[in-house]
């Protein structure tokens, strides 16, 4: 890895961050707060939330097995994705490399930040080759994006290939593990101490069943976390979200049970799909969804919409011609989808 100072945008490296009223006193027991122009009424919602979410991060650390100083919390993973561009990529100058197909936000954020986005096609098994990704990099490549299990394909990336990119690439490797709770692979976040150029993304939106509260995590070296903290909005995680996230993390055994239910239901759904006349192929999944190739994705998608059933049409995505992405729902929802598909006239 290049020294961090050479990777970070010069204006970000030298940035003096905003200092909030609550940042400036520390260590003392205080009980009169007349520093932030808050209202004295309507407690507790009158107070600004903790800008660094210390209590939530301590709980997150114990659940995720990653120290709090390796943790950034954002308004969804989307905030962390955007911050990576804003910290590392000079608009109009730098570029990033990503597996293709993958999660669409990496490209949208590149476009917003005027950063050249270089997709590298997966093979016919939706697997990545480290050498192909590395060959697409040059001295202006700041980030490599990998998603595992990958969206929309559903499969884990080959661990050896991911580790090869991390050890050979001189910049930052981002591995989005939004779906790792559903996979048998050991989460890559546990490898962080050995890899100072690794950033791992997690989210409360999938296995943790809390998409509404908008909470995403980035795990990385304290130096990288320090950059994110400098650039983020001071109060990026509101108090309601911090509270609700603590409630969810304290109920972690519910989450483990939900994951097991979803995995069992996924096996049954995939088996049932293979029996459908409209189904040509069901691709392997390590996530809470699967990709399937059907006879006519657009027609089937439209038909389902008319029945009030929404799946994700991936027909226009590279390597995904005539593919639908199916999220595993409750038993009843899955049954309703299957019986609608059995009635579809080819
Ligand atoms: C759903 C998803 C996320 C979650 O994004 P949030 O902003 O945290 O809701 C992140 N990455 C991938 C690949 C996803 O599919």
């Amino acid at each position: 890895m290049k020294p961090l100072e050479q990777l970070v945008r010069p204006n970000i490296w030298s940035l003096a961050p905003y200092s909030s009223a609550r940042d400036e006193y520390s260590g003392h027991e205080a009980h009169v707060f007349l520093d932030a122009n808050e209202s004295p009424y309507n407690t507790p919602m009158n107070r600004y939330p903790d800008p660094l979410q210390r209590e939530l991060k301590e709980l997150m650390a114990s659940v995720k097995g990653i120290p709090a100083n390796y943790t950034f919390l954002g308004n969804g993973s989307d905030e962390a994705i955007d911050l990576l561009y804003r910290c590392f990529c000079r608009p109009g100058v730098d570029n990033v490399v990503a597996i293709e197909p993958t999660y669409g936000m990496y490209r949208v954020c590149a476009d917003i930040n005027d950063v050249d986005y270089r997709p590298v096609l997966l093979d016919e098994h939706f697997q990545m080759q480290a050498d192909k990704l590395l060959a697409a990099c040059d001295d202006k490549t700041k980030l490599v994006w990998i998603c595992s299990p990958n969206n929309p394909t559903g499969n884990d990336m080959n661990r050896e290939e991911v580790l090869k990119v991390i050890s050979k690439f001189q910049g930052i490797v981002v591995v989005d593990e939004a779906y790792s709770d559903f996979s048998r692979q050991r989460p890559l976040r546990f490898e962080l101490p050995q890899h100072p150029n690794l950033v791992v993304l997690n989210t409360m939106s999938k296995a943790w069943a809390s998409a509404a509260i908008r909470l995403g995590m980035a795990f990385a070296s304290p130096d990288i976390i320090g950059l994110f903290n400098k650039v983020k909005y001071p109060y990026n995680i509101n108090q309601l979200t911090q509270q609700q996230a603590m409630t969810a993390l304290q109920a972690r055994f519910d989450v483990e049970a939900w994951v097991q239910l979803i995995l069992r239901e996924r096996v049954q759904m995939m088996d049932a799909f293979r029996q459908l006349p409209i189904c040509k192929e069901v691709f392997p999944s390590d996530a809470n969804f699967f990709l399937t190739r059907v006879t006519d994705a657009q027609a089937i998608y439209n038909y389902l919409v008319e029945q009030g059933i929404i799946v994700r049409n991936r027909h226009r995505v590279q390597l995904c011609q005539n593919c639908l992405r199916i999220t595993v729902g409750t038993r009843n929802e899955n049954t309703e989808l299957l019986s609608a598909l059995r009635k579809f006239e080819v």
Side-chain angles (χ1 to χ4, degrees):
M1 180 193 179
K2 288 182 195 162
L4 201 56
E5 184 172 357
Q6 284 176 34
L7 289 170
V8 176
R9 288 168 67 191
N11 60 312
I12 300 299
W13 188 259
S14 58
L15 178 73
Y18 175 75
S19 176
S20 71
R22 291 293 129 80
D23 285 336
E24 297 200 341
Y25 94 96
S26 67
H28 300 279
E29 276 302 318
H31 64 283
V32 178
F33 292 100
L34 302 177
D35 56 345
N37 298 346
E38 297 152 332
S39 169
Y41 308 117
N42 195 37
T43 73
M45 286 299 152
N46 58 331
R47 297 298 176 194
Y48 280 101
D50 176 3
L52 292 174
Q53 310 99 23
R54 280 164 260 241
E55 202 184 347
L56 173 54
K57 277 185 191 163
E58 287 303 329
L59 182 57
M60 186 73 79
S62 71
V63 171
K64 291 282 178 177
I66 300 294
N69 63 335
Y70 278 70
T71 306
F72 165 82
L73 300 179
N75 185 335
S77 313
D78 296 342
E79 183 181 1
I81 293 168
D82 190 52
L83 277 175
L84 280 153
Y85 284 103
R86 292 202 287 146
C87 288
F88 290 103
C89 301
R90 291 168 294 175
V93 177
D94 290 326
N95 67 73
V96 304
V97 166
I99 60 168
E100 175 79 8
T102 192
Y103 186 44
M105 274 308 284
Y106 315 143
R107 185 194 286 274
V108 171
C109 279
D111 291 347
I112 290 170
N113 289 285
D114 192 18
V115 171
D116 181 27
Y117 185 85
R118 301 182 172 178
V120 174
L121 211 57
L122 298 172
D123 70 15
E124 71 273 24
H125 305 292
F126 298 136
Q127 270 305 334
M128 57 172 261
Q129 277 74 44
D131 290 335
K132 275 180 76 180
L133 284 166
L134 292 164
C137 298
D138 60 24
D139 62 338
K140 298 236 162 49
T141 308
K142 294 298 182 67
L143 311 172
V144 171
W145 293 95
I146 296 170
C147 182
S148 181
N150 188 30
N151 179 4
T153 61
N155 58 314
D156 283 325
M157 293 296 102
N158 183 313
R159 177 54 55 92
E160 260 89 75
E161 297 296 306
V162 175
L163 289 173
K164 188 170 174 188
V165 174
I166 295 168
S167 61
K168 298 221 158 152
F169 181 52
Q170 293 297 299
I172 304 292
V173 180
V174 189
V175 181
D176 188 341
E177 293 196 319
Y179 300 98
S180 64
D181 300 88
F182 301 102
S183 166
R184 289 164 190 251
Q185 261 192 5
R186 183 178 148 83
L188 207 58
R189 66 174 186 275
F190 296 122
E191 315 283 325
L192 276 167
Q194 294 92 278
H195 301 291
N197 64 334
L198 174 62
V199 176
V200 174
L201 303 183
N202 268 206
T203 179
M204 295 293 283
S205 300
K206 307 291 159 60
W208 287 85
S210 302
I213 71 173
R214 308 308 301 130
L215 192 72
M217 301 77 107
F219 300 112
S221 74
D223 288 343
I224 295 177
I225 298 301
L227 287 171
F228 293 168
N229 285 339
K230 204 157 88 148
V231 176
K232 76 180 184 73
Y233 289 162
Y235 304 104
N236 60 325
I237 309 295
N238 72 66
Q239 186 62 23
L240 296 170
T241 292
Q242 292 192 42
Q243 279 168 7
Q244 190 56 39
M246 307 246 294
T247 304
L249 288 169
Q250 280 153 355
R252 69 167 107 171
F253 300 110
D254 292 343
V255 172
E256 283 170 24
W258 291 336
V259 167
Q260 290 314 313
L261 277 172
I262 289 167
L263 290 181
R264 256 180 280 152
E265 200 62 25
R266 184 187 76 198
V267 172
Q268 295 198 10
M269 280 273 272
M270 290 170 72
D271 284 343
F273 258 75
R274 288 190 192 92
Q275 312 298 317
L276 291 172
I278 55 124
C279 177
K280 295 187 138 178
E281 192 167 2
V282 176
F283 296 100
S285 169
D286 303 291
N288 66 333
F289 63 87
F290 61 92
L291 194 69
T292 177
R293 180 161 283 130
V294 294
T295 47
D296 184 344
Q298 188 64 52
I300 293 164
Y301 173 82
N302 292 343
Y303 161 80
L304 288 173
V305 170
E306 273 170 35
Q307 319 279 310
I309 300 170
I310 315 299
V311 298
R312 193 86 159 117
N313 182 5
R314 299 286 74 189
H315 175 57
R316 276 172 225 295
V317 171
Q318 280 206 72
L319 301 181
C320 299
Q321 292 84 352
N322 277 316
C323 287
L324 298 174
R325 193 192 70 191
I326 313 289
T327 306
V328 178
T330 62
R331 169 62 63 86
N332 283 343
E333 291 168 327
N334 302 336
T335 308
E336 201 179 321
L337 169 66
L338 286 166
S339 58
L341 288 173
R342 286 190 193 103
K343 288 183 208 129
F344 180 77
E345 308 282 341
V346 184

